[in-house]
Amino acid sequence: KQGAAASEATYRQLKQGSAYDASEAEVNVLGYSLLRGGRAVDAVEVFRWNAAAFPASANAYDSLGEAYLKVGKKDQAAESYRKALELDPGNVNARRALEKLK
């Protein structure tokens, strides 16, 4: 309700030593909930946190790319999809998205 910027501090606090599930998968669910709920700008921020917290996750970068596309940031989307492919060369979604962006 307070937006992504205000939520980042709460996210970081909950992630440290809390029983709250701040796993890559759970944070991704939150991002998609925002994205589907018409809050794409906030979703970008949540996916950005997820990619920073889980830098080896191709899925985190793939989701970030999708959110960037939703807000019209094609260059950032392409960068995220390239990172997803670097981490997982078999990522079909990232490969298709990059081909569409060309």
Side-chain angles (χ1 to χ4, degrees):
K1 292 181 180 181
Q2 297 175 8
S7 299
E8 185 171 11
T10 302
Y11 162 74
R12 292 187 186 287
Q13 190 175 38
L14 289 172
K15 191 170 183 242
Q16 293 180 359
S18 170
Y20 180 77
D21 185 357
S23 67
E24 183 263 336
E26 283 300 311
V27 176
N28 219 47
V29 167
L30 172 61
Y32 275 110
S33 176
L34 291 167
L35 194 61
R36 291 181 185 120
R39 296 178 59 187
V41 171
D42 289 333
V44 166
E45 290 305 307
V46 170
F47 289 134
R48 188 181 56 77
W49 307 337
N50 213 21
F54 301 94
S57 171
N59 187 53
Y61 285 99
D62 184 81
S63 298
L64 180 57
E66 189 173 337
Y68 275 136
L69 275 180
K70 188 77 168 178
V71 297
K73 295 187 175 185
K74 292 180 180 180
D75 290 342
Q76 290 93 331
E79 183 179 326
S80 293
Y81 283 127
R82 280 192 292 273
K83 181 67 176 179
L85 273 177
E86 176 185 314
L87 293 167
D88 176 10
N91 186 321
V92 175
N93 186 62
R95 188 172 311 285
R96 287 181 185 157
L98 279 170
E99 287 180 16
K100 285 181 184 179
L101 285 168
K102 285 183 183 179

